[in-house]
Amino acid sequence: MVRLVLMRLDHLAGVLALGNRVFDVTAMPYTSWSLSSVAVHLDAQPLACWVAESDEEVVGFVLGSMSYDEREDWGYLEWIAVDPAHQGQGLAGKLLDACCGALFAEGATRIVTDVEASNVASATLMQRNGFSDRVTVTLFVRHAEPTGAVPGKAHRSTKQPSDPAKARLRRAARSDP
Ligand SMILES: CC(C)(COP(=O)(O)OP(=O)(O)OC[C@H]1O[C@@H](n2cnc3c(N)ncnc32)[C@H](O)[C@@H]1OP(=O)(O)O)[C@@H](O)C(=O)NCCC(=O)NCCS
């Protein structure tokens, strides 16, 4: 039997693992998926973070927070996922309701979520649960020029992309008084 419970610290590993299975963390908008992202939600808005459990396993989750961009009265439903073995049974709808209920109770005047254009399951989930399609933002991407094409650069840089978790720690350390 699957039951919905508020997310606890001991769910962190299961939530992270499920997200890693279902989100393509190399592609937008999932690149910021990480343990610290989960922990920040749990820390800031514990009543808006729910887990679906089956036999003590995490089979679904939703993570919400208050404030979107600069708006402190807008809730943000940022992450939702259901294990493929449990999809199509209305679980995401229930998780979404629990999260939205908490954010409205917290004072949200609206709740925002973003859906990647090709994610039909996510778009249908939102449309069936009271969300309407309001603003479309397209991410235009310009890649670095191929080797030699950038004036003044003789070689392609051998620098590896930095680890996002380490970058966050560096930023946090810099902002410490
Ligand atoms: C999106 C997701 C959470 C939906 O989970 P779910 O538990 O299967 O969703 P539900 O069963 O509650 O279905 C909600 C609605 O969406 C529809 N739906 C679900 N999957 C669908 C699909 N692949 N194609 C079309 N519609 C779909 C359902 O039919 C239902 O509509 P209905 O009420 O009219 O029948 C799940 O597919 C998932 O985890 N995807 C990968 C992670 C992801 O993309 N998350 C969203 C971005 S953070």
Side-chain angles (χ1 to χ4, degrees):
M1 198 188 86
V2 179
R3 58 187 196 126
L4 260 55
V5 294
L6 277 167
M7 186 163 100
R8 304 181 306 261
L9 271 181
D10 59 299
H11 288 130
L12 285 179
V15 168
L16 185 66
L18 174 55
N20 283 335
R21 281 206 305 282
V22 299
F23 301 139
D24 178 359
V25 297
T26 64
M28 287 290 286
Y30 306 110
T31 45
S32 61
W33 179 249
S34 66
L35 177 59
S36 50
S37 168
V38 183
V40 162
H41 280 80
L42 181 60
D43 208 19
Q45 225 69 52
L47 298 180
C49 298
W50 289 81
V51 158
E53 280 183 336
S54 174
D55 293 329
E56 316 255 317
E57 293 288 314
V58 173
V59 298
F61 64 80
V62 63
L63 307 177
S65 58
M66 280 302 290
S67 90
Y68 178 81
D69 210 356
E70 297 299 311
R71 294 293 305 240
E72 304 220 335
D73 59 335
W74 291 11
Y76 187 23
L77 194 160
E78 189 171 4
W79 302 105
I80 185 162
V82 171
D83 188 299
H86 292 266
Q87 289 179 7
Q89 298 166 28
L91 257 187
K94 289 180 189 154
L95 286 162
L96 178 150
D97 265 352
C99 176
C100 289
L103 293 174
F104 284 131
E106 193 66 26
T109 58
R110 68 182 65 185
I111 296 170
V112 178
T113 192
D114 35 39
V115 174
E116 196 264 326
S118 66
N119 195 339
V120 178
S122 184
T124 310
L125 166 71
M126 298 309 167
Q127 283 157 357
R128 296 284 195 269
N129 287 279
F131 284 79
S132 53
D133 184 350
R134 281 296 159 85
V135 180
T136 302
V137 177
T138 304
L139 192 70
F140 286 83
V141 178
R142 178 173 171 175
H143 290 282
E145 300 291 341
T147 312
V150 180
K153 285 235 173 186
H155 315 285
R156 178 187 289 275
S157 168
T158 53
K159 198 176 166 201
Q160 295 297 310
S162 62
D163 178 336
K166 287 186 186 154
R168 261 192 302 277
L169 283 174
R170 279 197 298 273
R171 277 198 298 277
R174 275 203 299 273
S175 65
D176 269 356

